[in-house]
Amino acid sequence: MIFSLLVLSPPSSQASLSAYQFANALLLEKHSLYRVFFYHDAAYNGSSIQCIGQGEFDVIKAWDTLQEQYEFDRVVCIAAGLKRGIINETEALRYEKTAYNLNNEINLAGLGELADATVKSDRMITFGG
């Protein structure tokens, strides 16, 4: 079965952790993960500079490791990212910013990518609110 995930909560939330745990479990069960779409405050999952407290589970790093192992797509909604200061090099130039911080393994794209994931997946599971 092909799954996609819509994550709406920041990396510090239980919903974000649950999304990661669900993704890990479905991949271990030999299902496919097409795309993880980070929307609203979940855009913070795309930050390459976020630091996690000592002893805390680093869900951002865990997503990186999982994606490296299973090769699925991760996307931060461009509108949500821009509002929260999560941008790539292209958007930094466009908005005349001096820096960018989007994780290199994550794409910045619009809601069309969420619609695409809905069409190409058997199930779209939402985490957070």
Side-chain angles (χ1 to χ4, degrees), residues 76-117:
V76 166
C77 173
I78 190 167
L82 288 171
K83 287 180 187 177
R84 292 161 179 84
I86 309 298
I87 59 173
N88 60 12
E89 185 175 11
T90 302
E91 295 305 311
L93 291 170
R94 179 179 175 196
Y95 288 98
E96 299 178 357
K97 301 298 180 185
T98 58
Y100 56 94
N101 62 343
L102 183 70
N103 179 325
N104 290 332
E105 303 303 317
I106 301 177
N107 297 311
L108 196 61
L111 290 174
E113 296 297 308
L114 178 59
D116 172 71

Side-chain angles (χ1 to χ4, degrees), residues 12 14 18 34 56 58 79 86 105 119 128:
S12 59
Q14 181 60 50
S18 293
Y34 179 67
E56 292 181 33
D58 189 344
I86 309 298
E105 303 303 317
V119 169

Side-chain angles (χ1 to χ4, degrees), residues 7-49:
V7 184
L8 302 171
S9 298
S12 59
S13 71
Q14 181 60 50
S16 190
L17 177 59
S18 293
Y20 164 75
Q21 291 172 328
F22 182 84
N24 191 46
L26 74 87
L27 290 166
L28 286 173
E29 290 296 319
K30 307 296 184 210
H31 294 287
S32 295
L33 182 56
Y34 179 67
R35 177 170 293 139
V36 179
F37 192 90
F38 297 109
Y39 194 35
H40 297 298
D41 282 346
Y44 291 117
N45 282 280
S47 175
S48 64
I49 61 171

